[in-house]
Amino acid sequence: MTTLLLVLVVVLAIAMAYMNGFHDASNAVTTTITTRTLPESTALTLAAILNLLGALLGMMLIAVATPWALQLLGMTPLTQETSGQPDVLGLALIAIMLTTIGWDLLTWWMGMPSSTWHAFFGSTLGVSLAIGAPAAWERLGVMLGVSLVGPVLSATIAYLLMQLVLGLGRHEWLGRRHLRFAQTVSAGAVATGHGLTDSRLPLAVIVIAFATTGSSPSYTAAIMVAVAVAIGLGTLVGGHRIIRVLGRHLTDLNVAQGLAAEASAAATMSLGLFGFGSPVSTSHALASSVVGAGVAQGMRNVRWQVAGKILLIWLATPLACAVVGAALVGTMLAMTSP
């Protein structure tokens, strides 16, 4: 891979980390801002710091190596097909990341929570097929299974937690002050978990890019810090459109619902990180948890039309990104071919 392409890949990976933090800030701060448990600036600052720390912790806990990166992103078939053609792999990585960033921007503008992981995997599928490489169907199958189980599990846990909170409230064993404190802690857990999970995506892309040069990144620690800082800065800015949709349009969140939703999302993300072997989207986990907590107080507390739109975005994400990624890499290869 030429130096120019390598630099472009690294820059885009950092940009993708920033966009991820910006897009997914809603997962950690929606409930605390909507219920006025914390002022908006405080909530965003706390989430940004915990995202940064979670990202650093998550990246330091793994053995950063090419096999790990290829397995995480399901890119083994793509790298095998482009073996001996590092520039083609570089263009493929650029097409995948541009598609992922573009989809995050589009869904943020629409105010719809969506998964950066699903956008990335969908883009990888389209780019792989466009280049002539077989798709990593096994990895995609695991992701699909987790994508189906994760939201259902999140909604169920949130529903049960909400019933527990309501029961404790009726017996006056849980006051509003306790709820606000617990909600802040659970939101912090989601922010930390998001950093743990999503920092691995841009880091893995950089590792794969450096592998084409026959070496590993010379400044691994510096790259980790850059990825973590980018996620934290993106979170600090915050995706306000999605915050409004989750906190006001999907349901009218109260403090108890916020606690149940954040605690459920944190639990599901932990299962995905340490149990499922595949990341659970924080966007999917929180949106599903908000629905589950709302249903616990009555079906009418959830605006099902909004929930249906969110579900359509989830279904469209991998398919749309696959088409766009394939078209983009095809155009790039055509423009650069002699």
Side-chain angles (χ1 to χ4, degrees), residues 59-336:
M59 289 184 287
M60 287 188 294
L61 287 176
I62 55 180
V64 180
T66 305
W68 161 81
L70 292 174
Q71 193 278 332
L72 178 70
L73 303 183
M75 282 192 174
T76 300
L78 179 59
T79 55
Q80 290 175 344
E81 182 66 28
T82 56
S83 177
Q85 299 175 293
D87 286 354
V88 174
L89 179 59
L91 292 175
L93 292 174
I94 289 172
I96 291 168
M97 288 188 288
L98 285 176
T99 303
T100 303
I101 293 170
W103 187 258
D104 276 357
L105 277 171
L106 175 63
T107 51
W108 163 79
W109 181 80
M110 296 170 65
M112 293 286 106
S114 66
S115 170
T116 301
W117 284 94
H118 287 196
F120 189 92
F121 279 125
S123 305
T124 302
L125 170 64
V127 167
S128 296
L129 295 178
I131 289 178
W137 296 114
E138 182 178 350
R139 183 62 176 157
L140 290 171
V142 172
M143 184 201 74
L144 178 61
V146 172
S147 300
L148 294 174
V149 172
V152 174
L153 187 61
S154 295
T156 302
I157 293 174
Y159 177 87
L160 295 175
L161 285 175
M162 189 63 191
Q163 295 289 3
L164 175 62
V165 170
L166 290 174
L168 292 174
R170 282 193 294 269
H171 291 87
E172 298 182 356
W173 291 343
L174 198 61
R176 191 172 182 83
R177 183 183 61 180
H178 302 112
L179 287 173
R180 289 187 181 278
F181 175 77
Q183 184 190 3
T184 302
V185 172
S186 61
V190 171
T192 305
H194 176 268
L196 277 165
T197 303
D198 286 27
S199 61
R200 303 181 180 198
L201 180 56
L203 178 63
V205 172
I206 295 172
V207 170
I208 291 172
F210 269 95
T212 64
T213 66
S215 63
S216 58
S218 303
Y219 306 102
T220 304
I223 290 173
M224 287 182 176
V225 170
V227 169
V229 169
I231 291 179
L233 288 176
T235 305
L236 189 61
V237 177
H240 297 277
R241 290 175 180 265
I242 301 176
I243 292 172
R244 287 195 295 271
V245 169
L246 290 176
R248 292 295 180 215
H249 299 171
L250 183 57
T251 184
D252 291 319
L253 273 176
N254 56 41
V255 178
Q257 286 176 308
L259 168 59
E262 295 284 7
S264 171
T268 308
M269 288 164 57
S270 297
L271 284 174
L273 193 60
F274 302 110
F276 293 156
S278 181
V280 172
S281 166
T282 52
S283 298
H284 289 196
L286 184 71
S288 302
S289 297
V290 168
V291 170
V295 169
Q297 290 193 300
M299 295 291 288
R300 292 185 179 180
N301 284 322
V302 178
R303 297 180 179 90
W304 294 105
Q305 185 176 6
V306 177
K309 290 179 180 178
I310 293 174
L311 181 59
L312 285 176
I313 289 294
W314 291 359
L315 295 174
T317 294
L319 299 175
C321 289
V323 172
V324 174
L328 187 56
V329 77
T331 302
M332 293 169 67
L333 289 174
M335 292 176 62
T336 55

